Each structure stands twice: as structure tokens, then as C-alpha cells.
Amino acid sequence: MRVFLSICLVFLITSCNAENGIVTVSIDEDFSEIQDPRERWQAYQLSDYQIVQQRICECLGLEYTTLIIADSVQKISYDSKRTDEYDEFALRNAITIDQAFDLIEEYGDIAASISVKYHPKFGYPERLFIDINEMTADEEIIYEIRDLKKIKD
């Protein structure tokens, strides 16, 4: 009986962590003492992970889960509200966390304003708002990123 319960427990734990055939594991390390958000993010050395993100714009803004393998967007998935237009939008706009940091650096000296909220433990940008030109409408770059999960090796 004890063996049967152990097998059931392993199955339940694995099932709860598997999304879209991907198995995720918890991130036990804690580098939250590192002050610089990008350095904190890099300390975790994650190149295979999954995040939920949203590129917010004037017309589209559904959340999508993004699978990143070897620091590259491999796949996106989202709920049933999708359309062909949204498929194209999400594929074109999905980014990695490193790319989010790159946007901050790229526009740091030239944007009218930048506002970033960083995750307290992992350092990645949870909310990124870049207003490139305050006199132009609908040119802002806005991302929300959450639910970081490490892909099991």
C-alpha cells in the first residue's frame, strides 16, 4: 500500500508541474541580495524557462505563455480567445527576459520615459513601460511578465 501511495504522489507532483508536455521545477536558489536586477537575473543562469507575458497595445493584449529554450522563444500558447490576427501578433512580439533587459538598455537614453517594476527575487522586469516619444500616440512599448518557471533538465 505504501508503494502504491508513493507512486500516486509522484504522479500527482509531476502532473501538476507539466504544462503543454513541459515539466517545470521550482527554483530553490535565492540571489535576491544582488542589487542590480540584471545581475540578479543572470545569477540564476536560466536559459530554459517558461513565463506568462503580455504585450499591451492599443488593440491586442491577451496573455500568452512563452517557452524559452536556449535563450530563444520556441513556442507560445494561450487561451481560447485567440484569433489569426492574435497568433501573428503574439509570435512577432514574444520576448525573452534578456530581450526585455535589452529593450531597457536600448531606449534608456533616448525614450521620453521608462518605468520598470522588477521581480524582487529573480530580478526580471515584471512590468516594463517605455514611452518612446511623449508627443506620439500608441508607440509605447508595454510588457507584463509573470510566473517564471524553470524547465526541468
Side-chain angles (χ1 to χ4, degrees), residues 1 6-7 11 19 24 41 44 56 80 84 95 103-104 107 109-110 125 127 130 143 148:
M1 180 70 162
S6 296
I7 291 171
F11 176 77
E19 293 181 24
T24 58
W41 165 249
Y44 289 95
I56 302 168
S80 60
D84 289 340
I95 62 172
L103 285 171
I104 296 165
Y107 289 100
D109 294 331
I110 60 173
R127 177 150 174 87
I130 301 173
Y143 278 97
L148 171 69

Side-chain angles (χ1 to χ4, degrees), residues 35-48:
Q35 294 299 311
D36 181 82
R38 190 167 200 162
E39 288 177 13
R40 187 178 329 139
W41 165 249
Q42 291 172 339
Y44 289 95
Q45 299 181 5
L46 296 176
S47 61
D48 301 339

Side-chain angles (χ1 to χ4, degrees), residues 82-131:
R82 70 187 193 100
T83 64
D84 289 340
E85 180 183 14
Y86 186 71
D87 285 351
E88 186 64 33
F89 176 84
L91 283 170
R92 197 174 53 248
N93 287 283
I95 62 172
T96 67
I97 291 174
D98 285 329
Q99 288 170 324
F101 278 111
D102 292 345
L103 285 171
I104 296 165
E105 287 181 18
E106 178 182 345
Y107 289 100
D109 294 331
I110 60 173
S113 68
I114 295 179
S115 173
V116 184
K117 178 186 175 208
Y118 295 99
H119 189 280
K121 179 178 178 183
F122 299 114
Y124 66 83
E126 289 183 303
R127 177 150 174 87
L128 168 60
F129 175 86
I130 301 173
D131 188 0

Side-chain angles (χ1 to χ4, degrees), residues 112 129-140:
F129 175 86
I130 301 173
D131 188 0
I132 300 168
N133 182 334
E134 64 186 344
M135 302 304 287
T136 305
D138 299 329
E139 90 321 332
E140 298 89 1

